[in-house]
Amino acid sequence: MLSSLKLFKLPIKYLTPFSCSSIFGSYGEARDATVRWPHFSVFGPHSWFLEGLQGNSGFCSSSCCSFRVFSSFAVDKGDQKCWSCGASAASFPFLSCDSCRSVQPLDPSINYFDIFGLKKGYDIRDHNLENKYKEWQKKLHPDLVHSKSEREKNYAAEQSLRVIEAYHTLSRPLSRAIYLVRLEGVDFDEEKTISDPDFLVEIMEIRESVEEAVDKEALKQIESEIRVKLGKAQNSYEKAFENRDFEDALTLIRRMTYYERAIEEIEKKL
Ligand SMILES: [Zn+2]
């Protein structure tokens, strides 16, 4: 089974998602493989992210039952060439060519953090996401390629849309939190209701206090209290994610979701 690894010496464009079980029978086998071939990174669902191999990221971008394996060579700059002029990628991620400015085809294995050159994690405060987003839009915006081929127009439309999605997902703390756990292959069901009794009591109390608020000042006070709770939940989520405690992370996402909705409801009344 592990002999399949020779496939991974192929450039990234030849790699396709494999079923987990078609390559590795178990987590142990996957781990052994990366010990034997330390320049290979294995990413995928079921928390198969192997420590110390986060560079040149690959990840499971499709369904939960498939994953991808990328060698560190696969995403080497030299391996990616511009479809239009043939120049090698000068930077990663390779969304547009630095030589001829052609927009490159969409590569779904590049995750939202890769797009903005960010380390995968919850805290992205110091990384000026908005500026990076604007820089991409200057290079990828469909209006820039209106005189180009249909092929490039399609690439620009897809890349631009994906960068917009990436920006909106990462710029909002809640959607960033959800994206992060999903990137780890963790299933997050947005419809699942809250079952923690303590939290249900807290929700009741917030609801009552909002109903009983006598004026806008009282509502503003409740809102600021909820924002404090939201901030604490976000900090706890960050720690839970770092510790790979995904159960806790999912519970905190539900808290964050509730607090954000409660704040929205209060703001409608203000
Ligand atoms: Zn080019």
Side-chain angles (χ1 to χ4, degrees):
M1 213 175 259
L2 292 178
S3 62
S4 308
L5 274 170
K6 65 177 182 288
L7 286 171
F8 308 148
K9 288 182 179 172
L10 291 168
I12 200 165
K13 61 185 173 184
Y14 296 117
L15 294 177
T16 52
F18 297 89
S19 126
C20 299
S21 57
S22 72
I23 299 177
F24 303 116
S26 66
Y27 171 77
E29 278 189 62
R31 189 182 50 209
D32 291 348
T34 52
V35 171
R36 277 190 245 171
W37 287 276
H39 51 277
F40 287 111
S41 309
V42 179
F43 296 79
H46 321 307
S47 309
W48 279 18
F49 190 97
L50 297 179
E51 287 175 19
L53 293 166
Q54 300 180 28
N56 301 324
S57 58
F59 74 110
C60 173
S61 60
S62 48
S63 68
C64 191
C65 64
S66 67
F67 74 110
R68 288 179 176 205
V69 182
F70 299 123
S71 84
S72 54
F73 303 121
V75 288
D76 205 26
K77 292 170 189 171
D79 279 332
Q80 291 180 290
K81 295 211 182 327
C82 171
W83 65 272
S84 180
C85 75
S88 293
S91 57
F92 179 81
F94 189 42
L95 309 190
S96 81
C97 175
D98 290 310
S99 298
C100 72
R101 307 278 168 207
S102 293
V103 179
Q104 301 300 303
L106 191 76
D107 177 355
S109 69
I110 294 169
N111 70 42
Y112 292 172
F113 291 94
D114 291 336
I115 288 174
F116 299 112
L118 300 171
K119 185 173 175 284
K120 188 173 67 174
Y122 188 61
D123 183 5
I124 58 166
R125 278 170 297 187
D126 300 328
H127 292 278
N128 218 337
L129 189 64
E130 192 179 350
N131 276 3
K132 289 175 180 173
Y133 167 66
K134 285 176 181 168
E135 285 298 313
W136 273 132
Q137 287 300 47
K138 277 183 206 163
K139 293 180 179 176
L140 304 170
H141 199 283
D143 287 352
L144 300 173
V145 293
H146 63 92
S147 59
K148 299 282 185 72
S149 65
E150 279 305 307
R151 179 182 181 178
E152 192 170 351
K153 280 184 199 165
N154 288 336
Y155 291 159
E158 288 173 357
Q159 293 281 27
S160 179
L161 188 63
R162 189 143 195 272
V163 168
I164 292 169
E165 280 172 8
Y167 175 68
H168 286 297
T169 302
L170 297 191
S171 60
R172 292 177 299 181
L174 180 58
S175 53
R176 183 165 72 246
I178 295 170
Y179 180 69
L180 265 174
V181 291
R182 285 183 171 158
L183 207 53
E184 294 294 322
V186 178
D187 183 30
F188 174 66
D189 179 2
E190 290 184 54
E191 301 304 316
K192 195 174 168 188
T193 51
I194 293 160
S195 54
D196 173 7
D198 289 342
F199 190 43
L200 288 170
V201 169
E202 191 184 324
I203 289 171
M204 290 279 287
E205 286 171 355
I206 290 172
R207 205 171 284 162
E208 279 172 19
S209 63
V210 171
E211 281 167 12
E212 289 165 9
V214 288
D215 55 20
K216 288 189 178 180
E217 282 310 305
L219 284 171
K220 281 181 188 167
Q221 177 60 30
I222 297 164
E223 184 189 344
S224 72
E225 286 167 11
I226 298 172
R227 285 195 186 279
V228 171
K229 290 172 191 275
L230 176 61
K232 282 182 184 166
Q234 288 167 340
N235 290 340
S236 300
Y237 170 89
E238 188 181 348
K239 289 194 187 82
F241 183 79
E242 278 172 13
N243 295 331
R244 304 188 61 71
D245 183 348
F246 296 129
E247 201 178 322
D248 211 16
L250 293 180
T251 303
L252 289 158
I253 287 174
R254 294 208 164 79
R255 275 188 178 260
M256 287 150 68
T257 305
Y258 174 75
Y259 292 142
E260 286 208 355
R261 282 184 192 154
I263 289 168
E264 271 174 35
E265 288 303 312
I266 292 170
E267 284 182 344
K268 277 185 205 161
K269 293 173 189 275
L270 287 172

